[in-house]
Amino acid sequence: MARYTGPTTRINRRFSQAIFAPTKAFERKPHPPGQHGPRLRRKLSEYAIGLNEKQKLRFMYGMTEKQFRLTFEKAKNTRGVTGEIFLQMLESRLDSVIYRLGFAKSRAAARQFVGHGHILVNGVKTDIPSFMVKEGDEIEVRERTSSRQLATRCMEESQARTVPEWLSLNADALKATVNHLPSSEETEDSINVQLIVEYYSR
């Protein structure tokens, strides 16, 4: 399955949750589409519930099914609690870190920002969105006018977003340091990751 590039409001309404940035259309109708959408109370099977959680998380991070599954398998084969390690790996992706720092409006924009070569990791240009950051890594926007203007504009527009404690940001220098990898309390809390673990364990 390819990365989703279709209507984002459709996905938000499907899950009755702002997976992508909410639009006025979603604010007017935050429920499944159709005549019976506002009152729809379809009983879901355990499989469907797990599938929905998996799809929501996959859409949030903008990953293909193959990427998502491979990341889960890697987490499963790593010592520790699979669900917590899985979320930690998703948050540690470079595109997700760029989004958390406010250098981009969304993870999709962050993926493009990284892919266009605007970012240095430990002084080296890194244009792979799935690059996994490590504790102590230094991330900065390249010393190019276009790169810095784009990052600065995005930071001004995303001031309401709080930079997580596992990252330290120097906004003036457009640099950041990974203090430590995110703990379970610092990862996505709107998803029941245990349902995803059970889904993939079937």
Side-chain angles (χ1 to χ4, degrees):
M1 182 182 291
R3 181 178 290 112
Y4 183 77
T5 57
T8 56
T9 300
R10 178 179 179 180
I11 299 300
N12 288 347
R13 293 187 65 194
R14 171 181 166 186
F15 296 114
S16 299
Q17 181 179 336
I19 306 295
F20 299 99
T23 61
K24 290 182 179 179
F26 177 66
E27 291 171 1
R28 287 196 304 270
K29 300 178 180 179
H31 50 71
Q35 179 181 353
H36 304 290
R39 299 180 299 279
L40 189 63
R41 294 292 183 271
R42 183 182 299 144
K43 185 173 175 59
L44 299 176
S45 66
E46 290 184 8
Y47 177 85
I49 292 171
L51 175 62
N52 281 348
E53 287 298 292
K54 186 267 291 185
Q55 292 292 72
K56 282 193 286 187
L57 192 61
R58 186 173 72 81
F59 282 129
M60 280 181 185
Y61 286 92
M63 300 169 70
T64 64
E65 180 63 40
K66 183 177 180 181
Q67 287 176 321
F68 195 78
R69 180 63 186 256
L70 287 175
T71 303
F72 178 83
E73 290 298 329
K74 188 174 180 180
K76 185 178 178 181
N77 294 326
T78 301
R79 190 173 182 179
V81 181
T82 299
E84 293 179 5
I85 295 171
F86 183 45
L87 289 178
Q88 185 183 80
M89 286 181 171
L90 294 177
E91 278 295 295
S92 300
R93 286 171 54 98
L94 184 57
D95 55 357
S96 185
V97 172
I98 295 305
Y99 167 71
R100 292 296 187 192
L101 291 170
F103 293 162
K105 297 179 186 177
S106 64
R107 287 191 177 91
R111 184 166 55 250
Q112 188 176 60
F113 192 72
V114 173
H116 287 180
H118 294 298
I119 293 296
L120 302 177
V121 178
N122 298 326
V124 179
K125 186 180 85 167
T126 306
D127 56 6
I128 302 173
S130 61
F131 177 86
M132 305 292 284
V133 303
K134 302 181 297 296
E135 182 176 340
D137 280 352
E138 294 185 352
I139 301 160
E140 62 181 304
V141 178
R142 290 182 66 186
E143 287 283 354
R144 293 194 309 185
T145 302
S146 59
S147 301
R148 297 201 154 239
Q149 285 180 342
L150 184 57
T152 300
R153 185 165 64 249
C154 287
M155 288 184 68
E156 291 173 351
E157 295 174 357
S158 60
Q159 288 181 349
R161 193 186 310 150
T162 303
V163 176
E165 293 185 1
W166 59 279
L167 298 169
S168 292
L169 172 65
N170 182 334
D172 295 329
L174 297 179
K175 292 183 179 180
T177 302
V178 180
N179 299 325
H180 58 83
L181 294 182
S183 65
S184 57
E185 292 80 19
E186 297 171 312
T187 53
E188 183 60 53
D189 60 359
S190 64
I191 297 291
N192 186 339
V193 72
Q194 184 57 34
L195 292 176
I196 300 174
V197 174
E198 292 172 0
Y199 171 84
Y200 278 130
S201 299
R202 292 177 185 275

